[in-house]
Structures are given as C-alpha cells and as structure tokens.
Amino acid sequence: APAAGWPLWEVFVRSSRGLSHVHAGSLHAPDADMAVRNARDLYTRRNEGVSLWVVPASAIIASDPDAKGQFFESPQGKDYRHATYYTKSEGVKHL
Amino acid sequence: MSSDSATRITPGNALRPEDIAAAGTRADPDVAAYALRLGDDALVLAQRLGWWISRAPELEEDVALGNIALDLIGHARSFLSYAGSADGRTEDDLAYWRKETEFRSAHLMEQPNGDFARTIARQLAVSFYSFELYTALQHSADPTLAAIAAKAVKEVDYHRDHSAQWVLRLGLGTDESRRRMIRALELTWPYVGELFDDDELVLSLGGRAVLPSALKPPFDRGITAVLRKAELEVPAVPAAPGGGRRGQHSEHLGYLLAEMQVLAREHPGATW
C-alpha cells in the first residue's frame, strides 16, 4: 500500500495447544482494534488460535542481519562465562 | 481430544443445510413462506456483498466482506432448503428458478453497493435487524427455524461489530469520510422501515415466527447507540414504499437475478 494507506501490523497467535504466541504473519489495518479483527479473519478462521496479539510493525526493533556474525557469536572460548571452575566445598553433600 | 489439531475446521453441532434436506421434515406451507423471506433476504444481500471481493479498499476488507457474504449464503441455504421442503424444491430450484416477482426479500437487500460507506450503512441496518430477529427466532415454536437462528445469531453478531466499527471510523474519520457516511445513511434509511412491517403471514404464524414490529425498539436502541458514538444521527428521511414481501421489487433486483441465475438457466438440469 502507498504511504497514505493503512499501517502494517504484525500478528502473533497462540494456538489452542500452544504455550506461547507465535508470529503468524502481518496485515494492514487503520488501528489496533481493526487489526485484531482482521487478524481473527485472516489467521484464526479455522479455529487455530485462542489468543491474538497485534503489534504495529514500527514498534518492533530487529537485530541487524549484517551483524549476525558478531551478534550471535557462540560462547565458545569463553569458558569464564560458565561456572565450571568452582570446586565444591567440603561437606556439601547434595550439590 | 482429536479436534485439538492446530488447523482443525470445527463443524460443531450447528445445523447444516444438508442436515435439513436429509431430515426429511416438511415445513408447513405458511412456515415455508416465512422461511422463504428470511432466505431471500440473506441470498440477495450475499449476492450484493460478493461483488466487493477484489474491489474492497484493502485486502483485509475483501476478506471481511467475503466472510460476511459466505455466512449469509449459509443462512440462505438453510432457510431455502427448509422452505423448499414444503413442496419438494431444492435450495437451487428456489435460488435459480424463481422470477423477480417470486422473490420475497426486503428492498433494503437489493439496494446498490454504492461506495464503501453506502455498503456499510446497509450492513449496519441489516446486521442490527438480523441480530434482533435471530435472537428472538431461536425461541421459535418451529424447531428447524429455531436451530437455523441459533447458528446464524453468532455470525450476525460479528457482522454487527464489523459494521459498527466502520461507522465509527468513517463518521469520526476525515471530513470526506464523514460526509459520505451521512449521505450513505440518508440513502439507506428509507428502506429500513419495511423490515418491521407486520402482515397476515407473520400474524398467522404465532409463536413460530417473530413479529417484525417487535424488533423495532431493540433495533432503534442499538443503532442509536452506535450512531451517537460516531456523532451521527438517524436520518430524518421519508420511507420508501417497500413491497418486497409481496414480490414487488425495485428495478435493481431484476439485474441482480439475471447475473446470479444466468448459468443455471443457460444449462437447465446441469449438476455441479
């Protein structure tokens, strides 16, 4: 849609068996109330969901895909982050 | 429960048109005439709304209007299946092989779509009327009518919300959307009165039908509340003559039926 159109919303659905809300897709709506209604039509028409969240896409801050390497670098070689150096005190039985 | 699948389609316990046909219950002729009115209202409005699909202001609204049209087709199929049971006609016989003068829909249903505001004004009136009608008809002494109404009322509640949300947005939106909403209400309201006319048929049906005039007070309360929120007023416009329940229609219905019926009439006896 052009700039004058409706803003974009991201939709999260928690299914009837699901423990968490999962991103289901996006839609356009003039405001939050209409976004929830549109999400119900577009993403839960077959009874998939029991709970819906809509978030204006502009409110979501994403990580930078180009910085993926540094950003998500594994903790390998950072053993000091793990509690592996500690020795058990004497007399502590159930640790 | 096996129905807990993530993508299940729940049939529920609601009555389907196929169940009505299979039940073999024959409606008595007066009940059938009444069911025909209700079915024709839903059928004609569904045909109008189907036009919007691919033409709505946004994709999301295509889906919403399409959903409403499909719900209405469902209501029409149930009522027409039951109406046809009186004399052995199917829902398709009734939809495709009756002439304009044999349709019993109210004039409001056949009104042109106009712009989006005009479609919404028509939806506002019809959905608030239908909600009151089906709420009452759930208690009909005729069990089939009661069962159809019990299913329809939940869907119509959603239609009501959809139209009310849009009246608020158009009414409180821009100067242009507000101007169009006001105009749309003025063009729609002459046809609202016909919905509440009592006649011999409904009076003779007693507890099996809902007296249309009894629906007017709750309808007025609901509409007034929505319009007040949208800072709009019920338009003071004179009523149109009506006559749909007697088969006297405006020129709009003939064109609508020609389009709706053309394929069935080109290929009589075909199955699909």
Side-chain angles (χ1 to χ4, degrees), chain B residues 3-4 51 74 78 105 125 164 195 263 269:
Chain B
S3 63
D4 274 353
W51 179 91
S78 292
S105 45
L195 301 174
L263 197 68

Side-chain angles (χ1 to χ4, degrees), chain B:
Chain B
M1 257 166 58
S2 62
S3 63
D4 274 353
S5 145
T7 54
R8 72 179 189 269
I9 299 174
T10 325
N13 300 318
L15 187 70
R16 299 170 309 148
E18 290 82 1
D19 302 329
I20 296 169
T25 315
R26 283 173 73 105
D28 86 43
D30 286 344
V31 170
Y34 181 62
L36 194 66
R37 294 179 177 186
L38 304 181
D40 284 350
D41 277 356
L43 179 64
V44 171
L45 184 58
Q47 179 71 10
R48 277 286 184 240
L49 288 180
W51 179 91
W52 276 104
I53 296 173
S54 81
R55 294 177 171 105
E58 291 281 352
L59 183 63
E60 287 76 3
E61 206 44 42
D62 271 338
V63 175
L65 292 171
N67 276 337
I68 294 170
L70 284 170
D71 287 342
L72 292 170
I73 284 285
H75 307 166
R77 291 190 57 204
S78 292
F79 284 124
L80 294 183
S81 293
Y82 191 41
S85 73
D87 56 7
R89 283 187 286 179
T90 66
E91 48 179 309
D92 280 2
D93 292 337
L94 289 171
Y96 296 125
W97 294 97
R98 278 182 302 148
K99 291 178 293 188
E100 185 187 330
T101 50
E102 296 170 290
F103 269 76
R104 293 291 176 267
S105 45
H107 282 213
L108 179 57
M109 314 300 166
E110 71 204 46
Q111 292 308 302
N113 285 325
D115 61 9
F116 186 66
R118 198 162 166 199
T119 288
I120 290 298
R122 189 183 60 201
Q123 282 306 111
L124 180 77
V126 175
S127 60
F128 274 71
Y129 157 76
S130 302
F131 180 79
E132 299 303 337
L133 169 65
Y134 295 144
T135 298
L137 192 62
Q138 290 180 94
H139 309 294
S140 168
D142 183 290
T144 306
L145 289 179
I148 299 170
K151 176 174 185 282
V153 72
K154 287 176 249 163
E155 295 168 348
V156 169
D157 194 24
Y158 159 69
H159 306 172
R160 219 166 52 133
D161 176 68
H162 175 267
S163 61
Q165 291 293 330
W166 274 116
V167 168
L168 290 173
R169 276 156 188 80
L170 296 174
L172 302 173
T174 63
D175 288 347
E176 176 66 6
S177 74
R178 183 174 174 79
R179 182 188 70 76
R180 286 187 184 228
M181 193 67 241
I182 291 169
R183 181 75 185 132
L185 290 167
E186 288 167 353
L187 289 168
T188 303
W189 241 250
Y191 304 97
V192 170
E194 182 188 4
L195 301 174
F196 305 103
D197 287 344
D198 298 336
D199 65 2
E200 265 180 46
L201 177 69
V202 281
L203 290 168
S204 73
L205 281 167
R208 292 178 293 174
V210 175
L211 206 58
S213 60
L215 302 173
K216 188 75 168 44
F219 172 89
D220 284 344
R221 278 195 297 276
I223 292 288
T224 307
V226 174
L227 293 184
R228 186 175 298 147
K229 248 197 212 171
E231 295 170 18
L232 297 165
E233 280 165 26
V234 178
V237 285
R245 305 301 187 204
R246 298 186 299 276
Q248 296 163 356
H249 293 281
S250 69
E251 77 273 23
H252 301 303
L253 187 65
Y255 292 104
L256 183 150
L257 293 181
E259 190 173 56
M260 191 179 85
Q261 297 177 333
V262 62
L263 197 68
R265 288 178 180 251
E266 288 277 336
H267 301 281
T271 53
W272 58 75

